[in-house]
Amino acid sequence: MTFPATRLRRLRTTSTLRRMVRETQLSPTDFIYPLFVVHGRDVREEIPSMPGVFHLSIDSLKQEADSIAKLGIPAVILFGLPAHKDPVGSENFAGDGIVQQAIKAIKDAQPEMVVMTDVCMCEYTDHGHCGIVRDGQIVNDETLDILQQVVTSHAEAGADVVGPSGMMDGMVKAIRTALDESNFENISILSYAVKYASSFYGPFRDAAQSPPQFGDRHSYQMDPANAREALREARLDVDEGADMLMVKPALAYLDIVRRVRDTFELPLAAYNVSGEYSMVKAAAAKGWIDERKIVLETLTGIKRAGADLILTYHAKDAAQWLMEG
Ligand code: PBG
């Protein structure tokens, strides 16, 4: 059947019809909201390169968690800014570290909220790399020992899901082993399985004060040109025991989101990263784009590409807009 019998415009005639045949539904339950937690009291300081995103102290988290829950967003992922940095990133696995405190504060305020943690070393180390540095190299296997201590301390503090993001080989297996040995077999792993060495992380590195102090991350994060390698990364993490996979960043990598979705059965997350956020905010502030429409279109695109879950700094605004309909 072809034109004139077939007219695809028929089902676009009214907004009700369009709603009925819509293939992708965006919902606040798709979102995971990133939070940046800092030491101090009464801190709620806007991050200059990420308007609308704040550094929050522990005492500000109750109010924040309440407002996130009210919007129907089920989960947060925590990033911590430590008081001191050192070569191994000691605060990362300290019982009273900033993230450990934040986990407890959020669980106190909102016991039902899923609390995820980013498991990486770059915010905590003085060299700003995601692993132990020896003779200018980022060494893999010694880093795994540290990551094991980090996830155990996050689990002890009450985290539900840990998200290793350092792109070390074997990180998922090491973490699963450490959790199981400490009787945390019900803590899930959301692996940043496919994480590219991306310039879209720029604003985040300001926010988390985590830029590498020498060199770059190309010896551990993936080359943006590679797609088959993404499937190898994901497959290894599946085999090592990941519960969920992530592709990061999202927008320049929607083909990767689709390929990972089509190849693996695990729940899939995509990280709509800081640079993607800040570009929208900057253009919106100039009046060049309609922020609300651009954000909802973007997030719908990420979901249509195959993501079940979206980590996004737009989560609160988007949830509000979706509620307003
Ligand atoms: C830590 C980490 C980074 C991001 C999430 N976890 C930065 C990096 O790898 O340099 C980036 C998030 C964003 O840009 O929003 N390894």
Side-chain angles (χ1 to χ4, degrees):
M1 283 262 251
T2 177
F3 180 81
T6 300
R7 291 178 183 270
L8 293 183
R9 287 186 57 193
R10 275 189 205 113
L11 291 177
R12 297 177 198 148
T13 315
T14 69
S15 77
T16 310
L17 269 172
R18 291 193 294 272
R19 244 191 0 252
M20 287 170 67
V21 299
R22 189 158 293 149
E23 298 175 34
T24 307
Q25 307 285 348
L26 199 60
S27 145
T29 48
D30 304 330
F31 301 149
I32 299 168
Y33 189 57
L35 293 175
F36 295 98
V37 290
V38 297
H39 288 279
R41 301 195 123 264
D42 262 334
V43 185
R44 189 180 171 81
E45 206 177 316
E46 194 165 37
I47 296 160
S49 56
M50 300 176 70
V53 179
F54 297 83
H55 282 145
L56 299 168
S57 54
I58 300 296
D59 54 354
S60 310
L61 288 177
K62 182 182 159 33
Q63 196 198 342
E64 185 69 24
D66 291 349
S67 83
I68 293 165
K70 214 164 146 203
L71 288 162
I73 299 166
V76 294
I77 184 160
L78 301 178
F79 297 93
L81 282 76
H84 301 288
K85 297 181 191 250
D86 62 37
V88 296
S90 309
E91 192 179 320
N92 208 358
F93 45 90
D96 61 351
I98 190 68
V99 161
Q100 289 79 358
Q101 291 183 47
I103 295 166
K104 290 181 192 142
I106 292 169
K107 279 288 176 188
D108 277 349
Q110 290 292 336
E112 302 288 304
M113 186 168 282
V114 169
V115 176
M116 307 187 168
T117 60
D118 181 84
V119 176
C120 195
M121 288 174 58
C122 58
E123 293 111 274
Y124 298 87
T125 50
D126 49 12
H127 46 73
H129 276 289
C130 307
I132 297 283
V133 175
R134 223 172 271 300
D135 302 325
Q137 305 289 319
I138 290 76
V139 295
N140 196 87
D141 299 9
E142 285 176 57
T143 301
L144 301 182
D145 299 339
I146 306 278
L147 297 182
Q148 291 185 313
Q149 296 182 58
V150 174
V151 291
T152 308
S153 80
H154 289 176
E156 278 164 0
D160 301 293
V161 180
V162 294
S165 69
M167 290 298 282
M168 295 295 126
D169 288 325
M171 66 182 184
V172 171
K173 183 176 183 190
I175 285 172
R176 184 73 269 156
T177 306
L179 290 171
D180 289 356
E181 278 172 0
S182 310
N183 297 322
F184 290 119
E185 61 278 342
N186 285 328
I187 305 289
S188 306
I189 300 175
L190 166 60
S191 181
Y192 288 62
V194 182
K195 179 174 177 182
Y196 288 93
S198 171
S199 300
F200 285 96
Y201 309 148
F204 172 96
R205 289 180 189 170
D206 289 343
Q209 294 163 11
S210 64
Q213 298 302 306
F214 67 88
D216 54 39
R217 303 211 200 288
H218 289 264
S219 77
Y220 40 104
Q221 298 179 348
M222 276 183 58
D223 185 332
N226 292 359
R228 293 192 309 268
E229 188 187 357
L231 300 180
R232 298 187 73 196
E233 280 286 0
R235 184 168 295 112
L236 284 169
D237 286 5
V238 172
D239 292 346
E240 289 178 24
D243 299 285
M244 299 183 274
L245 299 172
M246 191 196 302
V247 171
K248 177 184 175 189
L251 293 181
Y253 301 89
L254 292 180
D255 59 324
I256 308 298
V257 172
R258 169 50 57 193
R259 287 177 74 159
V260 173
R261 158 48 60 243
D262 287 345
T263 311
F264 302 98
E265 297 82 10
L266 280 69
L268 177 62
Y271 201 140
N272 177 216
V273 299
S274 58
E276 298 170 345
Y277 174 85
S278 298
M279 291 195 304
V280 170
K281 296 300 276 191
K286 291 247 186 202
W288 292 345
I289 56 168
D290 180 328
E291 181 178 352
R292 176 180 171 142
K293 289 184 176 155
I294 290 269
V295 167
L296 292 176
E297 182 176 335
T298 300
L299 296 174
T300 301
I302 296 170
K303 192 158 181 204
R304 191 196 61 239
D308 304 295
L309 299 167
I310 306 172
L311 294 87
T312 179
Y313 306 99
H314 297 294
K316 288 170 72 180
D317 290 336
Q320 180 67 41
W321 295 327
L322 289 169
M323 282 200 312
E324 289 163 10

